[in-house]
Short mmCIF file of all heavy atoms in Angstrom, two decimals:
data_model
loop_
_atom_site.label_atom_id
_atom_site.label_comp_id
_atom_site.label_asym_id
_atom_site.label_seq_id
_atom_site.Cartn_x
_atom_site.Cartn_y
_atom_site.Cartn_z
N GLU A 214 9.98 12.14 -11.00
CA GLU A 214 9.57 10.75 -11.11
C GLU A 214 9.95 10.05 -9.81
O GLU A 214 10.99 10.33 -9.22
CB GLU A 214 10.27 10.06 -12.30
CG GLU A 214 10.01 10.70 -13.65
CD GLU A 214 8.60 10.45 -14.16
OE1 GLU A 214 7.99 9.46 -13.70
OE2 GLU A 214 8.12 11.23 -15.00
N ARG A 215 9.14 9.13 -9.37
CA ARG A 215 9.39 8.41 -8.11
C ARG A 215 10.53 7.41 -8.31
O ARG A 215 10.45 6.51 -9.13
CB ARG A 215 8.10 7.69 -7.69
CG ARG A 215 8.14 6.96 -6.36
CD ARG A 215 6.74 6.43 -6.12
NE ARG A 215 6.55 5.81 -4.82
CZ ARG A 215 6.53 4.51 -4.60
NH1 ARG A 215 6.75 3.67 -5.61
NH2 ARG A 215 6.31 4.03 -3.39
N LYS A 216 11.60 7.59 -7.51
CA LYS A 216 12.75 6.71 -7.60
C LYS A 216 13.01 6.07 -6.24
O LYS A 216 12.98 6.75 -5.21
CB LYS A 216 13.99 7.48 -8.06
CG LYS A 216 13.87 8.02 -9.48
CD LYS A 216 15.12 8.74 -9.92
CE LYS A 216 14.99 9.25 -11.35
NZ LYS A 216 16.20 9.99 -11.79
N GLU A 217 13.27 4.78 -6.26
CA GLU A 217 13.44 4.01 -5.02
C GLU A 217 14.92 3.76 -4.76
O GLU A 217 15.70 3.52 -5.69
CB GLU A 217 12.69 2.69 -5.15
CG GLU A 217 12.79 1.80 -3.94
CD GLU A 217 12.13 0.46 -4.20
OE1 GLU A 217 11.06 0.42 -4.85
OE2 GLU A 217 12.69 -0.57 -3.75
N SER A 218 15.29 3.81 -3.48
CA SER A 218 16.67 3.52 -3.10
C SER A 218 16.71 3.00 -1.67
O SER A 218 15.68 2.98 -0.97
CB SER A 218 17.55 4.77 -3.23
OG SER A 218 17.09 5.79 -2.35
N GLU A 219 17.90 2.58 -1.22
CA GLU A 219 18.08 2.08 0.14
C GLU A 219 18.54 3.21 1.04
O GLU A 219 19.27 4.11 0.61
CB GLU A 219 19.13 0.96 0.15
CG GLU A 219 18.75 -0.26 -0.69
CD GLU A 219 17.59 -1.04 -0.07
OE1 GLU A 219 17.42 -0.97 1.16
OE2 GLU A 219 16.86 -1.70 -0.84
N PRO A 220 18.15 3.19 2.33
CA PRO A 220 18.60 4.24 3.24
C PRO A 220 20.06 4.07 3.64
O PRO A 220 20.61 2.97 3.60
CB PRO A 220 17.67 4.07 4.46
CG PRO A 220 17.28 2.63 4.42
CD PRO A 220 17.23 2.24 2.98
N ASP A 221 20.70 5.17 4.03
CA ASP A 221 22.05 5.10 4.57
C ASP A 221 22.01 4.58 6.00
O ASP A 221 20.97 4.62 6.67
CB ASP A 221 22.69 6.50 4.55
CG ASP A 221 22.84 7.03 3.13
OD1 ASP A 221 22.96 6.19 2.21
OD2 ASP A 221 22.82 8.27 2.96
N GLU A 222 23.15 4.14 6.46
CA GLU A 222 23.23 3.58 7.82
C GLU A 222 22.80 4.60 8.87
O GLU A 222 22.15 4.26 9.85
CB GLU A 222 24.66 3.11 8.09
CG GLU A 222 25.05 1.83 7.38
CD GLU A 222 24.28 0.62 7.90
OE1 GLU A 222 23.96 0.61 9.11
OE2 GLU A 222 23.98 -0.28 7.11
N ASP A 223 23.20 5.86 8.69
CA ASP A 223 22.87 6.86 9.71
C ASP A 223 21.39 7.21 9.74
O ASP A 223 20.92 7.88 10.65
CB ASP A 223 23.71 8.12 9.50
CG ASP A 223 23.46 8.75 8.13
OD1 ASP A 223 22.81 8.11 7.27
OD2 ASP A 223 23.90 9.90 7.92
N GLN A 224 20.62 6.77 8.73
CA GLN A 224 19.18 7.02 8.71
C GLN A 224 18.37 5.93 9.40
O GLN A 224 17.22 6.12 9.75
CB GLN A 224 18.69 7.15 7.25
CG GLN A 224 19.24 8.36 6.52
CD GLN A 224 18.85 8.37 5.05
OE1 GLN A 224 19.10 7.39 4.33
NE2 GLN A 224 18.23 9.46 4.61
N LEU A 225 19.00 4.78 9.60
CA LEU A 225 18.26 3.62 10.11
C LEU A 225 17.72 3.80 11.53
O LEU A 225 16.59 3.38 11.81
CB LEU A 225 19.13 2.37 10.03
CG LEU A 225 19.41 1.87 8.60
CD1 LEU A 225 20.36 0.68 8.64
CD2 LEU A 225 18.10 1.48 7.92
N PRO A 226 18.47 4.40 12.49
CA PRO A 226 17.92 4.51 13.86
C PRO A 226 16.61 5.29 13.92
O PRO A 226 15.66 4.89 14.59
CB PRO A 226 19.04 5.25 14.62
CG PRO A 226 20.29 4.89 13.88
CD PRO A 226 19.89 4.83 12.44
N GLU A 227 16.54 6.41 13.19
CA GLU A 227 15.30 7.19 13.18
C GLU A 227 14.16 6.40 12.56
O GLU A 227 13.03 6.41 13.04
CB GLU A 227 15.52 8.50 12.42
CG GLU A 227 14.26 9.38 12.38
CD GLU A 227 14.44 10.62 11.51
OE1 GLU A 227 15.49 10.76 10.88
OE2 GLU A 227 13.50 11.43 11.46
N ILE A 228 14.47 5.69 11.46
CA ILE A 228 13.46 4.88 10.80
C ILE A 228 12.98 3.78 11.73
O ILE A 228 11.76 3.51 11.84
CB ILE A 228 14.03 4.27 9.49
CG1 ILE A 228 14.35 5.38 8.49
CG2 ILE A 228 13.05 3.27 8.90
CD1 ILE A 228 15.07 4.89 7.25
N GLU A 229 13.91 3.14 12.43
CA GLU A 229 13.56 2.00 13.28
C GLU A 229 12.62 2.40 14.41
O GLU A 229 11.66 1.69 14.72
CB GLU A 229 14.85 1.38 13.86
CG GLU A 229 14.65 0.02 14.51
CD GLU A 229 14.26 -1.05 13.50
OE1 GLU A 229 14.61 -0.92 12.31
OE2 GLU A 229 13.59 -2.02 13.92
N GLU A 230 12.88 3.55 15.02
CA GLU A 230 12.03 3.99 16.14
C GLU A 230 10.59 4.22 15.67
O GLU A 230 9.63 3.74 16.30
CB GLU A 230 12.59 5.28 16.74
CG GLU A 230 11.77 5.82 17.90
CD GLU A 230 12.32 7.12 18.45
OE1 GLU A 230 13.43 7.53 18.04
OE2 GLU A 230 11.62 7.74 19.29
N ALA A 231 10.42 4.95 14.57
CA ALA A 231 9.07 5.21 14.06
C ALA A 231 8.44 3.94 13.53
O ALA A 231 7.22 3.73 13.65
CB ALA A 231 9.14 6.27 12.96
N ARG A 232 9.26 3.06 12.94
CA ARG A 232 8.75 1.81 12.38
C ARG A 232 8.18 0.90 13.46
O ARG A 232 7.11 0.30 13.30
CB ARG A 232 9.87 1.10 11.62
CG ARG A 232 9.42 -0.17 10.88
CD ARG A 232 10.59 -0.73 10.07
NE ARG A 232 10.14 -1.77 9.16
CZ ARG A 232 10.09 -3.07 9.47
NH1 ARG A 232 10.48 -3.48 10.67
NH2 ARG A 232 9.66 -3.95 8.58
N ASN A 233 8.90 0.80 14.58
CA ASN A 233 8.43 -0.06 15.67
C ASN A 233 7.08 0.41 16.21
O ASN A 233 6.20 -0.40 16.50
CB ASN A 233 9.46 -0.10 16.80
CG ASN A 233 10.71 -0.87 16.41
OD1 ASN A 233 10.69 -1.70 15.50
ND2 ASN A 233 11.81 -0.60 17.09
N ARG A 234 6.93 1.72 16.34
CA ARG A 234 5.65 2.23 16.84
C ARG A 234 4.53 1.95 15.84
O ARG A 234 3.42 1.59 16.22
CB ARG A 234 5.76 3.74 17.09
CG ARG A 234 4.52 4.29 17.79
CD ARG A 234 4.64 5.76 18.05
NE ARG A 234 3.40 6.26 18.65
CZ ARG A 234 3.03 7.53 18.68
NH1 ARG A 234 3.81 8.45 18.15
NH2 ARG A 234 1.89 7.90 19.24
N LEU A 235 4.82 2.10 14.54
CA LEU A 235 3.83 1.82 13.51
C LEU A 235 3.45 0.34 13.53
O LEU A 235 2.25 0.00 13.46
CB LEU A 235 4.38 2.21 12.14
CG LEU A 235 3.51 1.83 10.92
CD1 LEU A 235 2.15 2.52 10.99
CD2 LEU A 235 4.22 2.17 9.61
N ILE A 236 4.43 -0.54 13.64
CA ILE A 236 4.13 -1.97 13.65
C ILE A 236 3.24 -2.33 14.83
O ILE A 236 2.27 -3.09 14.70
CB ILE A 236 5.45 -2.78 13.68
CG1 ILE A 236 6.17 -2.65 12.33
CG2 ILE A 236 5.18 -4.25 13.99
CD1 ILE A 236 7.55 -3.28 12.31
N GLU A 237 3.54 -1.77 15.99
CA GLU A 237 2.72 -2.05 17.18
C GLU A 237 1.29 -1.53 16.97
O GLU A 237 0.32 -2.18 17.38
CB GLU A 237 3.35 -1.41 18.42
CG GLU A 237 4.65 -2.07 18.86
CD GLU A 237 5.27 -1.40 20.06
OE1 GLU A 237 4.58 -0.54 20.67
OE2 GLU A 237 6.42 -1.72 20.39
N GLY A 238 1.17 -0.35 16.33
CA GLY A 238 -0.17 0.18 16.06
C GLY A 238 -0.95 -0.70 15.10
O GLY A 238 -2.15 -0.91 15.28
N ILE A 239 -0.27 -1.24 14.08
CA ILE A 239 -0.94 -2.13 13.12
C ILE A 239 -1.33 -3.44 13.78
O ILE A 239 -2.45 -3.94 13.63
CB ILE A 239 -0.02 -2.37 11.90
CG1 ILE A 239 0.18 -1.07 11.12
CG2 ILE A 239 -0.61 -3.45 11.00
CD1 ILE A 239 1.23 -1.18 10.03
N ILE A 240 -0.40 -4.01 14.53
CA ILE A 240 -0.66 -5.31 15.17
C ILE A 240 -1.80 -5.20 16.18
O ILE A 240 -2.59 -6.13 16.35
CB ILE A 240 0.63 -5.84 15.85
CG1 ILE A 240 1.66 -6.22 14.76
CG2 ILE A 240 0.33 -7.04 16.72
CD1 ILE A 240 3.00 -6.65 15.32
N ALA A 241 -1.91 -4.03 16.84
CA ALA A 241 -2.99 -3.84 17.81
C ALA A 241 -4.36 -3.94 17.15
O ALA A 241 -5.35 -4.28 17.81
CB ALA A 241 -2.85 -2.49 18.51
N GLU A 242 -4.43 -3.68 15.84
CA GLU A 242 -5.69 -3.76 15.11
C GLU A 242 -5.82 -5.06 14.33
O GLU A 242 -6.80 -5.26 13.61
CB GLU A 242 -5.80 -2.58 14.13
CG GLU A 242 -5.72 -1.21 14.78
CD GLU A 242 -6.85 -0.95 15.75
OE1 GLU A 242 -7.93 -1.56 15.58
OE2 GLU A 242 -6.66 -0.15 16.68
N SER A 243 -4.83 -5.96 14.45
CA SER A 243 -4.84 -7.20 13.67
C SER A 243 -5.93 -8.14 14.16
O SER A 243 -6.25 -8.20 15.35
CB SER A 243 -3.48 -7.89 13.76
OG SER A 243 -3.51 -9.15 13.12
N GLU A 244 -6.48 -8.90 13.22
CA GLU A 244 -7.47 -9.92 13.58
C GLU A 244 -6.80 -11.14 14.18
O GLU A 244 -7.47 -11.98 14.79
CB GLU A 244 -8.28 -10.30 12.33
CG GLU A 244 -9.11 -9.15 11.78
CD GLU A 244 -9.83 -9.52 10.50
OE1 GLU A 244 -9.55 -10.63 9.96
OE2 GLU A 244 -10.66 -8.73 10.03
N ASP A 245 -5.48 -11.26 14.01
CA ASP A 245 -4.71 -12.36 14.61
C ASP A 245 -4.32 -11.95 16.03
O ASP A 245 -3.39 -11.16 16.23
CB ASP A 245 -3.48 -12.65 13.77
CG ASP A 245 -2.69 -13.85 14.28
OD1 ASP A 245 -3.00 -14.35 15.39
OD2 ASP A 245 -1.76 -14.29 13.58
N GLU A 246 -5.05 -12.46 17.01
CA GLU A 246 -4.83 -12.05 18.39
C GLU A 246 -3.50 -12.53 18.96
O GLU A 246 -3.05 -12.05 20.00
CB GLU A 246 -5.99 -12.55 19.27
CG GLU A 246 -7.33 -11.95 18.88
CD GLU A 246 -8.47 -12.46 19.74
OE1 GLU A 246 -8.21 -13.32 20.61
OE2 GLU A 246 -9.62 -12.00 19.55
N THR A 247 -2.85 -13.48 18.30
CA THR A 247 -1.55 -13.99 18.80
C THR A 247 -0.38 -13.17 18.27
O THR A 247 0.75 -13.33 18.74
CB THR A 247 -1.36 -15.45 18.37
OG1 THR A 247 -1.18 -15.53 16.95
CG2 THR A 247 -2.57 -16.29 18.77
N LEU A 248 -0.64 -12.31 17.28
CA LEU A 248 0.45 -11.63 16.61
C LEU A 248 1.21 -10.69 17.55
O LEU A 248 2.45 -10.62 17.50
CB LEU A 248 -0.10 -10.85 15.41
CG LEU A 248 0.94 -10.33 14.40
CD1 LEU A 248 1.79 -11.48 13.86
CD2 LEU A 248 0.24 -9.59 13.25
N MET A 249 0.51 -9.97 18.43
CA MET A 249 1.18 -9.04 19.35
C MET A 249 2.11 -9.79 20.29
O MET A 249 3.26 -9.37 20.53
CB MET A 249 0.15 -8.23 20.12
CG MET A 249 0.77 -7.22 21.10
SD MET A 249 1.76 -5.93 20.30
CE MET A 249 0.46 -4.84 19.72
N ASP A 250 1.64 -10.90 20.85
CA ASP A 250 2.50 -11.67 21.76
C ASP A 250 3.72 -12.19 21.04
O ASP A 250 4.84 -12.17 21.59
CB ASP A 250 1.70 -12.83 22.36
CG ASP A 250 0.62 -12.36 23.32
OD1 ASP A 250 0.77 -11.24 23.86
OD2 ASP A 250 -0.36 -13.09 23.52
N ARG A 251 3.54 -12.65 19.82
CA ARG A 251 4.67 -13.16 19.05
C ARG A 251 5.66 -12.04 18.74
O ARG A 251 6.87 -12.22 18.80
CB ARG A 251 4.17 -13.83 17.77
CG ARG A 251 3.51 -15.18 18.03
CD ARG A 251 2.49 -15.58 16.97
NE ARG A 251 2.95 -15.33 15.60
CZ ARG A 251 2.14 -15.19 14.57
NH1 ARG A 251 0.81 -15.26 14.77
NH2 ARG A 251 2.62 -14.99 13.37
N TYR A 252 5.14 -10.88 18.41
CA TYR A 252 6.01 -9.75 18.09
C TYR A 252 6.79 -9.30 19.32
O TYR A 252 8.01 -9.07 19.26
CB TYR A 252 5.18 -8.60 17.53
CG TYR A 252 5.95 -7.32 17.32
CD1 TYR A 252 6.86 -7.19 16.27
CD2 TYR A 252 5.78 -6.23 18.17
CE1 TYR A 252 7.58 -6.02 16.08
CE2 TYR A 252 6.48 -5.05 17.99
CZ TYR A 252 7.39 -4.95 16.95
OH TYR A 252 8.10 -3.79 16.77
N LEU A 253 6.08 -9.17 20.46
CA LEU A 253 6.77 -8.76 21.69
C LEU A 253 7.75 -9.82 22.16
O LEU A 253 8.72 -9.51 22.88
CB LEU A 253 5.73 -8.47 22.79
CG LEU A 253 4.80 -7.27 22.52
CD1 LEU A 253 3.77 -7.14 23.64
CD2 LEU A 253 5.61 -5.98 22.40
N GLY A 254 7.52 -11.05 21.75
CA GLY A 254 8.46 -12.13 22.09
C GLY A 254 9.68 -12.18 21.21
O GLY A 254 10.53 -13.06 21.37
N GLY A 255 9.76 -11.25 20.25
CA GLY A 255 10.95 -11.17 19.42
C GLY A 255 10.77 -11.70 18.01
O GLY A 255 11.71 -11.63 17.20
N GLU A 256 9.60 -12.20 17.67
CA GLU A 256 9.40 -12.73 16.32
C GLU A 256 9.30 -11.59 15.31
O GLU A 256 8.65 -10.58 15.57
CB GLU A 256 8.11 -13.56 16.28
CG GLU A 256 7.80 -14.15 14.90
CD GLU A 256 6.53 -14.97 14.89
OE1 GLU A 256 6.22 -15.62 15.91
OE2 GLU A 256 5.82 -14.95 13.86
N GLN A 257 9.97 -11.74 14.19
CA GLN A 257 9.91 -10.75 13.11
C GLN A 257 8.66 -11.00 12.27
O GLN A 257 8.47 -12.09 11.74
CB GLN A 257 11.16 -10.86 12.23
CG GLN A 257 12.44 -10.39 12.91
CD GLN A 257 12.41 -8.90 13.24
OE1 GLN A 257 11.98 -8.09 12.43
NE2 GLN A 257 12.87 -8.57 14.43
#
Side-chain angles (χ1 to χ4, degrees):
E214 301 287 337
R215 184 176 186 258
K216 295 182 179 179
E217 180 185 320
S218 62
E219 299 290 334
D221 297 333
E222 286 292 328
D223 60 348
Q224 294 174 305
L225 291 176
E227 180 186 4
I228 295 173
E229 193 66 27
E230 180 182 352
R232 185 175 191 270
N233 289 339
R234 188 179 177 199
L235 174 61
I236 290 173
E237 290 179 10
I239 294 172
I240 292 175
E242 302 297 334
S243 174
E244 296 176 352
D245 185 350
E246 297 179 357
T247 69
L248 193 57
M249 180 63 79
D250 291 337
R251 287 154 44 202
Y252 173 73
L253 295 176
E256 180 180 326
Q257 290 295 318

